[in-house]
Amino acid sequence: MENKINYVDICCGLNWGDEAKGKIVSYLAKSENYDFVCRWAGGNNAGHTIYKDGVKYKTHLIPSGIFYDIPSIIGPDCVVNKESFFKEVKYLKDNGFNTDLILISPNAHLVTDEHIKEDREKLLNSQGTTAKGIAPCYKDKYARKGIQIKNVPEFESYLWNEKLFGNILCEGAQGFWLDINHGNYPYVTSSNTLPYGACSLGFPPQLIRKIYGASKIYDTRSGIDPFFPETLLDDKDLLRLVKEGGEFGTTTGRMRKTNWLNLDKLISAVKISGTTIIIISKVDVIEKVNLYKLYHNSNLLPFNSIIEMKNYISNALIENCNILERIIYSDETEINCLS
Ligand code: IMP
Ligand code: MG
């Protein structure tokens, strides 16, 4: 047992990040029997909101296994900023969590102050990045001149022995359309946000059991992307979604550009990611606004009710996505129908 991986479950975002992955991963970590919870990509550009026993916690880098006493791994394709990491460790420790369970791959890369400076000066305004030094750090990694965590003394007691066994949960950061290979380049992040990237943790793809894909019932985008023009912020109906949905960035506080669900894009994301269970959230938000629309085959289609809209989405997904097994719609209440 101690030397064999039983199975790997993965949770990934199917949109542009901010799909409530934290809520899903938190539910899974609590209710299933995982031996490890792992992050496979990105750095503190991500923002995960987790509720435990009615208390709200926010993390940017450390996987949510930490909230459930499960060893939490930051993988080799992640990038780590020293200051932000130790700040998060302190925050978790102060809140009573066992931070000895946090482990970092020796091969993860260090985000330096120079990386952050370069991001702020060159990319923040042109691409609307989170200014956390992500692109400059990956640039150095791929130029093979980056600094690996194993060479930074402060991280010594956090180094992972690179072993995995038992049941593994991998939590995604960002989302499908921010992936460096699939998104609207250069308006993407610099990592592999799809489940294929999770294999960088050191397991073969055959061991993947379930892929939970997180989506919202409408689209949001934080950061610059010509696919989400600023004029979206002038649309009264869409602004109601922003307000009802609380669509402001966890990491940056910026108002997210919001649009009706693009079903064409969602279908592609489900197919390419290999999603077996899709969780479509914020159904309560669209119900409050009481307007039901989505884009399909590039046309904006209106519906009379949430039931009509859900049926339409489900039928299109079933018709197009042959490895999808389950479709779950969720709202503010706990997701309690996943297992
Ligand atoms: P970077 O990852 O900071 O380089 O930012 C690149 C793009 O990805 C920007 O448009 C960001 O707004 C977006 N982005 C990065 N991380 C997240 C996230 O966790 N949620 C939503 N958008 C993100
Ligand atoms: Mg997030």
Side-chain angles (χ1 to χ4, degrees):
M1 175 68 186
E2 289 271 312
N3 55 23
K4 202 174 96 191
I5 295 176
N6 198 10
Y7 58 76
V8 179
D9 290 341
I10 298 177
C11 175
C12 68
L14 296 173
N15 315 141
W16 288 264
D18 314 314
E19 307 99 341
K21 293 180 292 293
K23 191 164 151 183
I24 295 165
V25 166
S26 171
Y27 176 80
L28 291 171
K30 181 172 63 183
S31 48
E32 305 240 341
N33 216 358
Y34 293 110
D35 296 286
F36 295 93
V37 178
C38 314
R39 258 288 290 274
W40 76 81
N44 63 330
N45 50 344
H48 282 180
T49 307
I50 270 151
Y51 289 86
K52 195 188 178 214
D53 305 325
V55 184
K56 181 178 180 173
Y57 299 100
K58 274 187 187 183
T59 56
H60 297 285
L61 185 65
I62 296 167
S64 18
I66 195 70
F67 296 105
Y68 302 96
D69 259 336
I70 304 170
S72 295
I73 311 283
I74 297 170
D77 210 12
C78 291
V79 295
V80 181
N81 172 262
K82 204 193 297 175
E83 204 187 325
S84 136
F85 173 77
F86 285 103
K87 197 173 146 198
E88 205 162 302
V89 169
K90 182 177 183 309
Y91 163 78
L92 291 166
K93 206 180 261 175
D94 288 349
N95 280 288
F97 298 106
N98 178 6
T99 54
D100 294 343
L101 296 169
I102 301 166
L103 297 164
I104 312 180
S105 164
N107 294 343
H109 275 247
L110 181 75
V111 179
T112 65
D113 291 344
E114 288 71 37
H115 291 147
I116 296 172
K117 186 164 179 276
E118 185 181 339
D119 198 356
R120 269 201 204 119
E121 287 173 359
K122 301 196 183 144
L123 299 171
L124 173 61
N125 290 328
S126 59
Q127 291 181 13
T129 66
T130 60
K132 304 291 182 192
I134 304 300
C137 182
Y138 279 106
K139 183 177 79 174
D140 280 351
K141 168 174 172 163
Y142 282 93
R144 287 173 259 140
K145 55 182 193 179
I147 301 167
Q148 290 182 299
I149 293 302
K150 64 183 164 208
N151 297 319
V152 186
E154 290 95 317
F155 288 108
E156 210 187 322
S157 62
Y158 291 94
L159 290 186
W160 174 40
N161 66 4
E162 299 178 282
K163 287 194 169 41
L164 289 172
F165 55 84
N167 308 334
I168 319 286
L169 176 62
C170 299
E171 67 172 59
Q174 291 85 39
F176 189 95
W177 301 106
L178 292 174
D179 180 85
I180 186 87
N181 294 308
H182 291 276
N184 188 10
Y185 189 94
Y187 306 98
V188 292
T189 191
S190 300
S191 59
N192 304 127
T193 64
L194 275 64
Y196 72 85
C199 291
S200 62
L201 283 156
F203 59 80
Q206 291 95 325
L207 290 178
I208 299 171
R209 184 182 71 151
K210 294 178 181 173
I211 297 182
Y212 296 89
S215 174
K216 288 197 288 210
I217 200 159
Y218 54 88
D219 287 339
T220 64
R221 177 70 159 98
S222 43
I224 295 169
D225 188 335
F227 188 72
F228 285 80
E230 297 289 324
T231 48
L232 290 170
L233 296 171
D234 301 331
D235 184 306
K236 281 198 311 295
D237 294 340
L238 294 174
L239 270 183
R240 286 174 63 204
L241 285 176
V242 172
K243 294 216 175 89
E244 290 293 347
E247 298 300 345
F248 300 89
T250 317
T251 302
T252 58
R254 297 176 297 198
M255 194 191 277
R256 297 174 182 146
K257 269 149 287 177
T258 300
N259 205 348
W260 306 108
L261 177 72
N262 188 313
L263 189 53
D264 301 309
K265 281 215 154 9
L266 183 61
I267 288 168
S268 295
V270 169
K271 285 164 80 168
I272 297 170
S273 63
T275 291
T276 56
I277 302 169
I278 184 171
I279 299 105
I280 302 176
S281 66
K282 298 239 170 167
V283 172
D284 53 329
V285 172
I286 206 160
E287 283 189 277
K288 264 187 215 152
V289 172
N290 200 26
L291 289 169
Y292 309 98
K293 300 184 197 183
L294 56 77
Y295 290 95
H296 192 206
N297 301 318
S298 304
N299 296 315
L300 184 61
L301 310 177
F303 301 90
N304 290 318
S305 69
I306 187 65
I307 298 174
E308 246 185 45
M309 183 170 172
K310 281 196 211 169
N311 282 341
Y312 190 91
I313 296 172
S314 296
N315 287 336
L317 288 172
I318 292 163
E319 204 172 292
N320 288 286
C321 310
N322 60 349
I323 53 178
L324 182 65
E325 291 166 6
R326 285 185 66 190
I327 302 169
I328 296 168
Y329 293 89
S330 87
D331 54 30
E332 261 315 292
T333 55
E334 263 296 56
I335 302 169
N336 50 16
C337 46
L338 275 183
S339 24

